[in-house]
């Protein structure tokens, strides 16, 4: 399915990163992991390069970006330096890398970022700042109660908060729709949404690693 972009969003820049750069970064992480150099879980991305690159054309350098355990692509595209990110991952913070400049926050807790992103958007509105908050979530995270509470609150109070749902149809290895007894996903038109096929396993690289 193609990328759903809400009508109110406008492209404001052209991201310089290429799909090949993103893929080669994850290959490098994979190499360190399989050599036993990373002693914490890693969640690699692959197969959604075109969509994420396009989405970052709508995001300003001054915006906040919130992401999950699967955050390497978002971190790089929001401007976290490649080497800094790699060192963070090697030190065990793959699932929770964060930064003040650029404004980036990630967490390994399903749904954990959503109320924080909502609060940051509320603070931006109260201070009458011009930047925005972008919250990247998976298809299962989209189905959680905390998403629906925060979505409702952010829309009713007109907060500068954009949600991006990245749907790989799986929650770890559980088919999301089957788990909820659904045969289709209805995503409101004010949310960015796309589907992709997961290439790596949920976590790790598919090979056993001895630390
Ligand atoms: C509160 C909480 N419950 C369970 C987990 C274990 N867990 C990690 S990722 C994940 C699946 C989430 O699926 P989805 O939102 O679709 O994201 P994806 O990994 O597919 O990108 C689960 C259940 C967790 N990290 N936090
Ligand atoms: Mg998923």
């Amino acid at each position: 399915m193609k990328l759903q972009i809400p009508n109110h969003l406008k492209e404001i820049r052209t991201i310089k990163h290429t799909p090949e750069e993103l893929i080669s970064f994850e290959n490098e992480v994979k190499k360190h992991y399989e050599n036993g150099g990373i002693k914490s879980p890693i969640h690699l991305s692959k197969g959604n390069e075109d969509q994420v690159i396009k989405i970052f054309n709508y995001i300003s350098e001054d915006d906040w970006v919130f992401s999950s355990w699967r955050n390497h692509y978002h971190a790089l595209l929001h401007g976290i330096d490649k080497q800094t990110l790699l060192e963070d991952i090697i030190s065990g913070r793959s699932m929770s890398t964060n930064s003040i400049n650029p404004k980036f926050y990630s967490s390994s807790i399903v749904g954990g970022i959503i109320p924080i992103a909502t609060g940051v958007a509320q603070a931006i509105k109260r201070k009458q700042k011009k930047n925005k908050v972008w919250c990247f979530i998976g298809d299962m995270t989209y189905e959680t109660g905390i998403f629906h509470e925060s979505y409702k609150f952010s829309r009713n109070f007109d907060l500068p908060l954009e949600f991006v749902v990245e749907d790989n149809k799986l929650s770890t290895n559980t088919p999301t729709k089957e788990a909820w007894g659904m045969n289709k996903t209805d995503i409101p038109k004010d949310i960015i949404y796309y589907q992709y096929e997961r290439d790596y396993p949920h976590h790790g690289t598919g090979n056993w690693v001895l630390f």
Side-chain angles (χ1 to χ4, degrees), residues 99-113:
S99 147
I100 289 293
N101 183 19
K103 301 180 183 72
F104 187 85
Y105 186 88
S106 67
S107 160
S108 61
I109 308 299
V110 171
I113 54 170

Side-chain angles (χ1 to χ4, degrees), residues 43 68-70 95 107-112 137-144 166-174 176 196 198 202:
H43 300 73
S68 67
W69 45 93
R70 199 180 311 289
M95 296 194 291
S107 160
S108 61
I109 308 299
V110 171
I137 59 174
D139 46 296
M140 182 55 100
T141 308
Y142 171 77
E143 300 297 343
T144 62
E166 303 182 296
D167 183 359
N168 57 15
K169 306 168 205 85
L170 293 169
S171 166
T172 66
N173 293 323
T174 301
T176 302
Y196 72 104
R198 196 175 80 189
H202 172 67

Side-chain angles (χ1 to χ4, degrees), residues 7 18 93 96 143 202:
N7 287 335
T18 62
R93 283 193 292 271
S96 56
E143 300 297 343
H202 172 67

Side-chain angles (χ1 to χ4, degrees), residues 12 32 113 180 196 204:
I12 52 165
H32 285 285
I113 54 170
W180 289 99
Y196 72 104

Side-chain angles (χ1 to χ4, degrees), residues 94-165:
S94 169
M95 296 194 291
S96 56
T97 193
N98 59 71
S99 147
I100 289 293
N101 183 19
K103 301 180 183 72
F104 187 85
Y105 186 88
S106 67
S107 160
S108 61
I109 308 299
V110 171
I113 54 170
I114 301 174
I116 306 174
T118 307
V120 171
Q122 188 169 31
I124 288 174
K125 185 172 180 186
R126 283 187 182 165
K127 290 179 180 166
Q128 299 181 328
K129 296 243 171 89
K130 291 280 165 265
N131 57 339
K132 274 183 159 187
V133 180
W134 299 76
C135 189
F136 286 79
I137 59 174
D139 46 296
M140 182 55 100
T141 308
Y142 171 77
E143 300 297 343
T144 62
I146 189 59
F147 167 76
H148 288 279
E149 293 173 41
S150 304
Y151 174 71
K152 179 168 61 181
F153 187 89
S154 70
R155 277 13 184 192
N156 290 350
F157 287 103
D158 195 23
L159 302 185
L161 177 55
E162 304 294 347
F163 287 103
V164 182
V165 178

